[in-house]
């Protein structure tokens, strides 16, 4: 494993202080996201991962939808911290919505019945790899991001707003933008508690 790749992994951190000043044009950022997902492995090369990439007003609309859904379940007296958190995501330049196409998963289950129980699990692996690949690629381009999981709260409203195919299942959301804050020192657990080498 090259040192360059390991350095790229180290750059991938959760950035919650986001701004709208991307270091690259939106089209370049879009190509980075698309290529990272294209190059991400999937079971049987099923390519089940899907993405919706939102910028500007569309990105802000997504977080408004999330906020509206959260208002339905979070008591009003406790909502201020939740609203501040959602606003911090909306302060970024864009959001990637990560989906998995369930039609692909079902097709694999039908065609390879012996592994049917595993395909939903392997689909989750695929989306996790795609998310990590995009996050690392954005970090390498000096773009901050974090990974969020507000699904299934906004799923129906988002599907209606952007005409998302019914077979696409929302798995995660990645707000991204310019770095507006520094990272704290990352702590790691002891290697002896985590690794066994034989």
């Amino acid at each position: 494993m090259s040192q360059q790749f390991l350095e790229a992994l180290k750059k991938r951190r959760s950035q919650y202080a986001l701004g709208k000043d991307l270091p690259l044009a939106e089209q370049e950022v879009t190509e980075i996201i698309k290529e990272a997902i294209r190059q991400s492995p999937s079971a049987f090369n099923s390519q089940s991962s899907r993405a919706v990439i939102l910028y500007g007003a569309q990105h802000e609309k997504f977080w408004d939808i999330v906020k509206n859904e959260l208002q339905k379940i979070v008591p009003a007296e406790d909502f201020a911290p939740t609203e501040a958190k959602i606003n911090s995501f909306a302060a970024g330049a864009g959001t990637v919505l990560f989906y998995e196409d369930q039609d692909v998963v079902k097709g694999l289950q039908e065609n390879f019945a012996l592994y049917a129980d595993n395909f939903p699990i392997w689909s989750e692996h695929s989306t996790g790899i795609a998310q990590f690949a995009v996050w690392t690629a954005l970090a390498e381009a000096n773009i901050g991001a974090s990974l969020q999981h507000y699904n299934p709260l906004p799923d129906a409203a988002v599907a209606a707003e952007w005409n998302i195919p019914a077979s696409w299942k929302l798995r995660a959301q990645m707000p991204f933008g310019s770095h507006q804050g520094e990272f704290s020192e990352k702590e790691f657990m002891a290697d002896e508690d985590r690794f066994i080498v034989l």
Side-chain angles (χ1 to χ4, degrees):
M1 189 178 297
S2 73
Q3 194 61 36
Q4 184 179 2
F5 179 68
L6 290 175
E7 289 303 316
L9 297 186
K10 291 176 185 177
K11 288 182 183 178
R12 187 225 46 83
R13 300 287 304 277
S14 293
Q15 177 58 275
Y16 299 109
L18 296 173
K20 298 190 183 300
D21 299 320
L22 291 172
L24 301 172
E26 286 182 5
Q27 186 57 40
E28 292 178 274
V29 176
T30 297
E31 287 306 315
I32 288 171
I33 294 166
K34 289 164 68 174
E35 188 63 13
I37 293 172
R38 274 192 211 103
Q39 297 301 330
S40 296
S42 57
F44 289 55
N45 193 30
S46 58
Q47 302 175 49
S48 55
S49 294
R50 306 287 183 265
V52 175
I53 306 167
L54 305 171
Y55 291 99
Q58 300 302 309
H59 148 78
E60 291 173 7
K61 185 182 290 184
F62 170 78
W63 292 107
D64 282 341
I65 290 170
V66 173
K67 192 187 304 183
N68 290 338
E69 294 300 321
L70 286 167
Q71 281 181 313
K72 297 175 185 177
I73 63 170
V74 178
E77 63 272 17
D78 299 327
F79 193 67
T82 297
E83 183 174 31
K85 189 173 185 181
I86 299 304
N87 288 345
S88 74
F89 303 143
T95 298
V96 184
L97 306 181
F98 291 91
Y99 288 84
E100 283 291 300
D101 190 338
Q102 300 308 296
D103 282 350
V104 173
V105 176
K106 290 173 187 172
L108 289 167
Q109 290 177 308
E110 292 167 3
N111 291 324
F112 303 96
L114 184 63
Y115 307 111
D117 291 344
N118 288 317
F119 284 116
I121 299 168
W122 293 339
S123 169
E124 294 301 307
H125 296 173
S126 295
T127 190
I129 294 168
Q131 292 159 25
F132 181 74
V134 169
W135 199 352
T136 304
L138 290 176
E140 189 68 3
N142 198 33
I143 296 171
S146 69
L147 192 63
Q148 305 302 319
H149 299 90
Y150 286 94
N151 43 290
L153 282 176
D155 294 19
V158 169
E161 180 66 35
W162 289 293
N163 197 29
I164 306 298
S167 65
W168 291 20
K169 184 177 182 181
L170 184 61
R171 306 314 298 137
Q173 308 85 48
M174 185 177 290
F176 62 86
S178 54
H179 290 285
Q180 301 301 126
E182 298 297 321
F183 296 116
S184 59
E185 189 68 28
K186 190 170 184 178
E187 296 182 6
F188 297 94
M189 63 188 297
D191 281 1
E192 56 267 27
D193 295 330
R194 195 167 192 183
F195 306 107
I196 297 175
V197 181
L198 304 172

